[in-house]
Amino acid sequence: MIEGVHETSNSERLRAAGLRVTRPRLAVLSAVAAHPHAGADVVLHSVRAELPQVSRQAVYDVLHALTDAGLIRRIQPSGHVARYETRIADNHHHVVCRSCGAVADVNCAIGHAPCLTASETHGFTIDEAEVVYWGLCPDCATRAETSPDADPA
């Protein structure tokens, strides 16, 4: 972590959310920022580079606390592990590769949140829409095109 750069802003973010500033919380925030859409194991590995003695459970607890506080966002595409990101201030969506599981951000479909108009609200006041686009990332699409087993259709 670059001393003073992320640490100060992350400390302020933690305090503003009503959370104590701790080394594990700062390390997890930095890890999630450095590895958008990373699962807990990647976050743990990154945090242990800074805090070698931190436990797996501590990282899971911090991820949960930061998600509850609205400092990070947890996404879980169907059939995949939960992933975390610091991009929380907008109603963006995601695209997921069916082959390798890569995830990328997709800006709001059209307009402002919730980006989509529901055909029926059932009385709800809708303020967010969650969309997951599925397909093949460029690398997997290229491999599929050049694979001898590729479907010619």
Side-chain angles (χ1 to χ4, degrees), residues 22-23 25 36 44 48 51 58 64 76 95 99 126 144:
T22 64
R23 291 183 67 207
R25 286 179 178 161
L44 174 65
R48 281 187 175 161
L51 303 172
H64 183 76
Q76 188 164 7
V95 60
S99 182
I126 299 172

Side-chain angles (χ1 to χ4, degrees), residues 37 73 85 87-88 90-94 105-108 129:
H37 310 122
R73 181 177 177 192
E85 64 182 349
R87 185 175 170 186
I88 56 167
D90 63 355
N91 185 213
H92 71 281
H93 310 297
H94 297 94
D105 290 332
V106 175
N107 288 329
C108 206

